[in-house]
Amino acid sequence: MESGLRSYGLPLLDDMLRESLLVDLGYVDPVALARAREHAERAPVVPDLLCDTLALEAGLRSLA
């Protein structure tokens, strides 16, 4: 799971920093998301909350 998050989740986070349904709808603070992305890069484990956010964003994008 961790390897997948690093390989695919962090690039999706980078994408979210440019364009995000959750940010556009006001559910996610873009400044906090940018800080979380920076933290995730250095952390030994990607935080669970970030994983949940990524899953929700990917799900919403699949419906758009």
Side-chain angles (χ1 to χ4, degrees), residues 34-57:
R35 279 195 308 259
R37 169 61 174 97
E38 290 173 15
H39 174 73
E41 184 72 36
R42 295 185 308 271
V45 176
V46 176
D48 290 342
L49 184 58
L50 218 45
C51 181
D52 296 342
T53 304
L54 288 168
L56 185 56
E57 178 75 23

Side-chain angles (χ1 to χ4, degrees), residues 1-10 44-48 50-52 54-55:
M1 181 74 161
E2 185 65 29
S3 176
L5 281 171
R6 295 225 176 259
S7 297
Y8 302 102
L10 294 182
V45 176
V46 176
D48 290 342
L50 218 45
C51 181
D52 296 342
L54 288 168

Side-chain angles (χ1 to χ4, degrees), residues 17-63:
L17 291 171
R18 290 186 297 277
E19 183 178 4
S20 169
L21 293 169
L22 292 173
V23 170
D24 291 347
L25 294 170
Y27 291 109
V28 173
D29 176 7
V31 174
L33 183 62
R35 279 195 308 259
R37 169 61 174 97
E38 290 173 15
H39 174 73
E41 184 72 36
R42 295 185 308 271
V45 176
V46 176
D48 290 342
L49 184 58
L50 218 45
C51 181
D52 296 342
T53 304
L54 288 168
L56 185 56
E57 178 75 23
L60 287 172
R61 286 180 180 195
S62 74
L63 296 173

